[in-house]
Amino acid sequence: MRVCLASNEVAPFVGGGLATYIFEMSRALVTAGHEVHVLTSPFEGLHARGEAALPGVRFHTVDINAGKAALPGAYYSHSSRYSMATLEAL
């Protein structure tokens, strides 16, 4: 199965809550033999640190400064803007 988990938080870059869930679920899915992609914020060192912590997981970033997400004044909140950027990344 090919799985993409989308979250603006992922361990080891953010601790607790959703970040831990994404980390553990990614690891469990890879261990079960699935292809796992994580779509997240552009953390510094994402690919190197992420792949070291979660071997076999492929990391992709959300760019809120590109495409429709970058339209000035188009969104009422950062969450809405981030959601549009996530949609475009998918």
Side-chain angles (χ1 to χ4, degrees), residues 54-87:
L54 291 167
V57 175
R58 297 177 191 160
F59 289 88
H60 309 275
T61 58
V62 171
D63 185 359
I64 64 169
N65 296 311
K68 292 179 183 176
L71 294 174
Y75 304 95
Y76 292 110
S77 68
H78 176 75
S79 296
S80 296
R81 185 176 176 196
Y82 190 87
S83 295
M84 176 53 74
T86 300
L87 175 64

Side-chain angles (χ1 to χ4, degrees), residues 2-82:
R2 185 178 300 162
V3 178
C4 180
L5 301 172
S7 171
N8 63 345
E9 299 179 355
V10 64
F13 305 98
V14 177
L18 184 58
T20 301
Y21 173 81
I22 296 297
F23 182 88
E24 295 297 337
M25 183 56 70
S26 297
R27 185 168 49 184
L29 289 166
V30 166
T31 301
H34 302 293
E35 179 181 327
V36 179
H37 300 261
V38 172
L39 181 58
T40 190
S41 299
F43 297 105
E44 186 174 331
L46 174 66
H47 296 285
R49 286 181 59 205
E51 291 169 7
L54 291 167
V57 175
R58 297 177 191 160
F59 289 88
H60 309 275
T61 58
V62 171
D63 185 359
I64 64 169
N65 296 311
K68 292 179 183 176
L71 294 174
Y75 304 95
Y76 292 110
S77 68
H78 176 75
S79 296
S80 296
R81 185 176 176 196
Y82 190 87

